[in-house]
Each structure stands twice: as C-alpha cells, then as structure tokens.
Amino acid sequence: MKLLDLFVAASIPVIKVLLLTALGSFLALDHINILGEDTRKHMNSIVFYVFNPALVGSNLAQTITYGSLVELWFMPVNILITFIIGSALGWAVNQITRAPTHLRGLVIGCCAAGNLGNILIIIIPAVCKDKGSPFGAPDVCHRYGMAYASLSMAVPFLDHVKQKIGMLLGKTNLKRLFAPSTIGAIVGFIVGLVPQIRTALIGDTAPLQVIQDSVSLLGDGAIPAVTLILGGNLLRGLKGSEIQKSIILGVIVARYIALPLMGIVIVKGALRFGFVHENPLYQFVLLLQFAVPPAMNIGTITQLFGAGESECSVIMLWTYALASISLTLWSTFFMWLVT
C-alpha cells in the first residue's frame, strides 16, 4: 500500500480527536462555562464509573472466546512493559532535569502511564472505517480492534501499578478510580467465555440481546465525553505554570521518541519468538500502545485530589498538542511496518 494512503488513513482519527478536543476547550471557556471545572469533575465520575465499564464489558463480551484469549495473552505483558520502560524513562527525566521533589511523581506518571484506552477507542474505529485501511473488512476490523482497545483499558494487575503512581503523587487510596473498568472487564470475560450466558446475551437471535445493546449504547458515550473533558482540562494549561521547560521536553522525548522506538524492538522481537501471532491489526495496536500520549487518568488524579494541577495541565497541553503530529507519523509508520 502506498505510504500516502497510509498517511491519510492515520491522519483521519487524529483530526477527529482534535475537533472534539477543540470543542471541549471552547465549552470550558470562562465566558461560555458549559464545561466548567465542577462540570468536568462530575463528568469524570460518570465516565469512570459508568461509561468506561460499559464500554469495556460490552466490547469484550462480543469478541472474547477461549481461542481469542489464548492469542491475546501478550497484550497485558506488553502494557506492563510500557509501564516499566516508561517509569525508567521518567526516572531518567527527573535526574537529568533535576525536577522538584513535588513534581517527580507527576513526571514518572506522565512517562509511565499512556492513554491506552481512550485514544485507541477513537483511533481504531476510524482507521478501520477509512477506505485506505490496510486491515481488511471494516466490520471485522472494528469488532476485533475495539476488543483490543477495551482490553488495553483494563488488566487487573495494572491497578497496582497505577496506585503506585498515585502514591508518588502523594495520594494512596486510588483504587476507586480504576476498579469500575476492571469490573467491566471481568463481566465481559464471563459473558464471552461462558457459553450459556453468551448465547443468551450475544447475537441477533439472543433472547436477552436488548441488555447487551443497552450496555453498548451506554459505552458509546465514553468516547465523546472523555474527549470533551480532555479539551476542557487542556485549556487550563494555557494559563501556564512555573514548571521547567526541560521537564516538558523530557516527557515529550520519552513518550514520543524513546518509547515508540523501544516498542518496535519489543513487538518485533515478540513476533520473531512466536509470542505474538501474525495479525497486522493486533501488532498495530501493540505498537500503538508505546506511542500514545500520557494517560488522562493522571490529569484526573491531580484534578480530583489537587496535587500539581497546574503543572500537569501544562504537560498535558504540550503532549496532546504534539500528539496530533506524533500519532499521525507513528501510526503511518506502524501500518507500513505490519503490512
């Protein structure tokens, strides 16, 4: 496939993210005040406790089987690797920039925790639907791609890692922020793996299909809601803070240069040793997990608990502004690499 076609296919989902993010920033302006700080906090709660679990559970329930479970075992390992490498890079950024003590946890969190769910659930459907997509039939690509993205949002052992990041930020009880998606994932696995429940809920002839359809409808609200919140949170970064420019640059280099390059080595190595099966879409998602911007959860933690809010907003502003370029270029290269 021509490189230009791949570039177009990669740029469409990024443009969608930018448009929704810009709308969120507009709605959060002081003289508009539709998406003010209090509103964003309430929406954050709805997304984490309602929309995300519904999205994760519904997508996994439709696609998870015993066969696919065997093929997907490397994904949680891949996510753990991104956390480990990102944490090491964050530590290096702290040492090089001599970041203040109260910001070191924030820097490590931004380098270690990538936006493994929300960005993917926007990018994957858009890539699958684009006529230049190299991943085959749009409906099949969408179904399995969304399952990969949903699984990225919840493997339970990563909750422990995320809590450690929260402890570095000065707060210890963060389990309530991450448990809902994990519960959604568990329910999705049960529905997908238990034949009697799957037959009752999944499929056009399922007697209780209305339940699955309702949950899916609820989960669809996660994508626009979380992107609007992102736009509103980024607006705060325009007001600036006293954070060192070298810290921002260090996070950008770690997330958009070092991590993707290491990701190529890891995923291709896993493919060579038979840990990853020959599926271009699956490999694409694994590679993309190394190239996404910092997790929005980091911004949510600082917003809900008041730890480094202004500094986090500035880091998020710059990383997500540059993500439009970085994600497009890396997505183009990754699609070329796997196809």
Side-chain angles (χ1 to χ4, degrees):
M1 183 172 287
K2 295 181 180 179
L3 195 61
L4 180 60
D5 293 335
L6 293 176
F7 179 79
V8 172
S11 62
I12 295 300
V14 177
I15 292 174
K16 291 182 178 180
V17 174
L18 289 175
L19 290 175
L20 288 178
T21 302
L23 177 59
S25 297
F26 174 76
L27 295 176
L29 291 172
D30 291 337
H31 61 280
I32 302 296
N33 201 30
I34 294 177
L35 200 61
E37 185 174 352
D38 290 338
T39 303
R40 293 200 303 274
K41 287 183 179 180
H42 292 311
M43 286 187 66
N44 268 326
S45 297
I46 294 175
V47 167
F48 279 106
Y49 288 100
V50 182
F51 290 169
N52 278 355
L55 180 71
V56 172
S58 62
N59 283 312
L60 289 179
Q62 294 181 64
T63 54
I64 288 296
T65 61
Y66 286 107
S68 64
L69 193 61
V70 173
E71 295 180 345
L72 294 177
W73 74 268
F74 185 76
M75 181 170 285
V77 175
N78 193 64
I79 295 173
L80 180 61
I81 292 173
T82 67
F83 272 91
I84 294 173
I85 297 177
S87 298
L89 291 172
W91 177 86
V93 171
N94 280 331
Q95 300 305 310
I96 295 172
T97 63
R98 296 182 180 179
T101 303
H102 71 284
L103 292 181
R104 294 196 171 192
L106 175 62
V107 172
I108 293 177
C110 288
C111 292
N115 195 331
L116 298 175
N118 300 323
I119 289 293
L120 295 182
I121 62 177
I122 299 173
I123 290 180
I124 298 302
V127 169
C128 289
K129 293 177 183 178
D130 191 87
K131 62 180 181 180
S133 172
F135 299 123
D139 56 339
V140 177
C141 174
H142 181 272
R143 183 168 67 252
Y144 284 95
M146 288 300 287
Y148 300 153
S150 298
L151 188 59
S152 298
M153 295 175 68
V155 236
F157 69 86
L158 291 179
D159 283 351
H160 179 69
V161 179
K162 293 176 180 178
Q163 288 180 52
K164 292 299 183 183
I165 293 173
M167 290 173 65
L168 290 172
L169 289 171
K171 303 294 176 180
T172 56
N173 186 19
L174 300 177
K175 185 176 180 179
R176 62 190 184 91
L177 282 177
F178 305 102
S181 291
T182 302
I183 294 173
I186 293 172
V187 172
F189 276 111
I190 293 174
V191 173
L193 296 176
V194 179
Q196 294 83 355
I197 302 179
R198 184 181 183 87
T199 302
L201 293 173
I202 308 298
D204 295 334
T205 60
L208 300 179
Q209 181 193 9
V210 64
I211 296 178
Q212 168 65 16
D213 290 343
S214 299
V215 176
S216 297
L217 181 63
L218 194 61
D220 289 340
I223 299 176
V226 81
T227 313
L228 290 175
I229 293 171
L230 169 63
N233 289 340
L234 293 183
L235 185 65
R236 186 185 180 95
L238 292 174
K239 299 178 181 179
S241 72
E242 298 179 358
I243 188 171
Q244 302 168 220
K245 294 180 181 179
S246 59
I247 293 178
I248 300 174
L249 180 61
V251 173
I252 290 172
V253 171
R255 287 229 64 95
Y256 294 153
I257 299 179
L259 264 176
L261 290 175
M262 293 181 183
I264 294 173
V265 175
I266 291 169
V267 174
K268 283 302 181 181
L271 178 65
R272 182 173 182 178
F273 287 102
F275 298 145
V276 175
H277 55 91
E278 293 280 354
N279 182 327
L281 179 60
Y282 184 54
Q283 295 176 45
F284 175 71
V285 174
L286 291 177
L287 289 167
L288 207 57
Q289 288 175 341
F290 286 90
V292 292
M296 290 179 58
N297 293 348
I298 302 299
T300 302
I301 291 170
T302 60
Q303 185 178 37
L304 292 181
F305 298 110
E309 285 188 72
S310 60
E311 293 87 352
C312 181
S313 296
V314 173
I315 292 176
M316 290 293 182
L317 174 65
W318 282 102
T319 52
Y320 275 83
L322 292 176
S324 58
I325 300 174
S326 175
L327 275 177
T328 300
L329 294 177
W330 280 117
S331 295
T332 302
F333 181 71
F334 290 159
M335 282 192 282
W336 174 82
L337 193 64
V338 301
T339 58

